Amino acid sequence: MEKLNDYRDIAKEYAGKFIDYLPTLLGAIVLLLVGLWVIKLIVGYLRKLFDKKDYDPTLEKFTLNAASWGLKIILFVLVITQLGVESASLVAAIGAAGLAIGLALQGSLSNLAGGVLIIVLKPFKVGDWIEAQGVSGSVAEISLFYTKIDTFGNQRAVVPNGQLSNDNIINYSFNGTRRENLSFGISYDDDIKKAKEVLTNLVKEQKDILTDPAPQVLVAELGDSSVNFSVRYFAPNAVFWDIHWYMIEEGKIRLEEAGMTIPYPQRDVYLYDQTKMKGTEREKQSE
């Protein structure tokens, strides 16, 4: 019976404390709900602001996520403080937790920092053709931790931003045009001026090849078995590869139609009869 009375006393005590604490708890819940609603309004306003202007999609996504999480962290601190937890203790706990998480996720934080650098410095954007970390392809997506690249073979490569931001990056799409340097070889017996004229006319026929800077057809090298021409020109990225393949095929056809010989590496091999050579040496010794 005494134990039952003790339980009743404990229940009354905690019930009284709960009733006294109830306004604080309700205030924290109201603060949480109102705070989430305000955060939703702010993020929605920022999204509309980005939609009105032509901002980079990656920058837009990063800013919205950062704003949402930052405001939620502030709201969490306010709610915990409202519940009676001292703000100094809470900040110290968050700092200790952040340090522990930072040490455990060094690689991920490196990728995060790399993602921020890529978004801010913009060495490339979605849709650009780049080459980095042994991967070449079109940028499909830039996130905070990884960059996704679609390769020429239609494979999806996922490259960590930490490595990507600390390595050399070749952006083939940045300038809008690319320079080509094709090589054609003719025989030493062929007419150099005629071959140069054929290749020059072929370049002039291509409407998509830029005239400024002007294309060039030069004798680049006197090789072991051929006289090598260098055909240099600039072309827009959209048609660069179409012109590349056409120029190689049509260049060979035009040179052959003009009577030129497309040489290939060759080697002369001489065979000697060792028995006859030894007999000749003996005859010389006997004399």
Side-chain angles (χ1 to χ4, degrees):
M1 192 68 179
E2 293 180 359
K3 290 184 178 180
L4 182 59
N5 292 330
D6 293 338
Y7 289 143
R8 287 177 181 176
D9 293 338
I10 294 173
K12 288 180 181 180
E13 180 182 356
Y14 280 100
K17 291 182 178 180
F18 177 75
I19 292 173
D20 294 339
Y21 190 70
L22 187 59
T24 302
L25 180 61
L26 292 176
I29 294 175
V30 172
L31 177 61
L32 176 63
L33 295 176
V34 173
L36 291 175
W37 178 71
V38 172
I39 291 173
K40 186 177 180 180
L41 288 179
I42 295 175
V43 173
Y45 175 77
L46 290 175
R47 184 176 286 107
K48 290 180 180 179
L49 184 64
F50 279 118
D51 292 338
K52 289 181 180 179
K53 297 183 179 181
D54 187 20
Y55 287 101
D56 187 274
T58 306
L59 179 61
E60 177 181 348
K61 184 177 179 180
F62 171 74
T63 303
L64 293 176
N65 289 336
S68 178
W69 281 105
L71 292 173
K72 286 178 180 178
I73 291 174
I74 294 174
L75 176 62
F76 172 76
V77 173
L78 292 176
V79 171
I80 295 298
T81 304
Q82 176 66 23
L83 291 174
V85 179
E86 295 183 4
S87 58
S89 301
L90 181 61
V91 171
I94 293 176
L99 178 60
I101 294 173
L103 293 175
L105 300 176
Q106 291 183 16
S108 297
L109 292 178
S110 174
N111 291 335
L112 175 62
V116 173
L117 288 176
I118 291 173
I119 292 171
V120 174
L121 299 179
K122 295 182 179 179
F124 56 84
K125 63 181 183 298
V126 173
D128 285 353
W129 189 278
I130 68 170
E131 181 178 345
Q133 289 292 311
V135 179
S136 177
S138 177
V139 178
E141 181 182 345
I142 305 172
S143 64
L144 288 178
F145 295 94
Y146 299 96
T147 294
K148 298 178 181 179
I149 301 174
D150 290 333
T151 66
F152 182 78
N154 200 31
Q155 293 106 4
R156 172 63 60 88
V158 181
V159 183
N161 286 336
Q163 300 177 14
L164 195 60
S165 62
N166 291 317
D167 196 9
N168 297 327
I169 301 173
I170 302 176
N171 190 337
Y172 293 99
S173 304
F174 184 81
N175 292 319
T177 60
R178 288 180 60 179
R179 185 183 186 182
E180 181 60 283
N181 183 15
L182 297 176
S183 180
F184 294 92
I186 63 173
S187 172
Y188 273 92
D189 297 328
D190 293 334
D191 189 339
I192 293 180
K193 292 185 178 180
K194 186 175 181 180
K196 186 175 182 179
E197 181 182 358
V198 169
L199 294 174
T200 301
N201 291 335
L202 176 60
V203 172
K204 290 181 178 179
E205 291 175 7
Q206 312 310 312
K207 297 180 180 179
D208 291 321
I209 290 180
L210 302 181
T211 56
D212 185 20
Q216 295 177 306
V217 179
L218 308 169
V219 178
E221 181 186 15
L222 300 178
D224 295 335
S225 57
S226 63
V227 178
N228 297 322
F229 284 86
S230 176
V231 180
R232 305 175 182 179
Y233 59 84
F234 285 84
N237 291 332
V239 294
F240 177 84
W241 287 110
D242 293 335
I243 298 176
H244 172 85
W245 305 126
Y246 178 81
M247 288 290 293
I248 292 177
E249 179 180 354
E250 193 66 16
K252 180 178 183 300
I253 294 174
R254 297 283 183 92
L255 288 174
E256 289 178 341
E257 288 178 349
M260 305 294 161
T261 303
I262 306 297
Y264 51 87
Q266 53 185 328
R267 182 169 302 190
D268 295 331
V269 179
Y270 298 92
L271 301 178
Y272 297 95
D273 190 341
Q274 297 293 330
T275 58
K276 292 183 177 180
M277 292 181 64
K278 290 180 180 179
T280 304
E281 291 178 357
R282 290 174 183 172
E283 290 177 359
K284 289 182 178 181
Q285 290 177 0
S286 62
E287 291 178 357

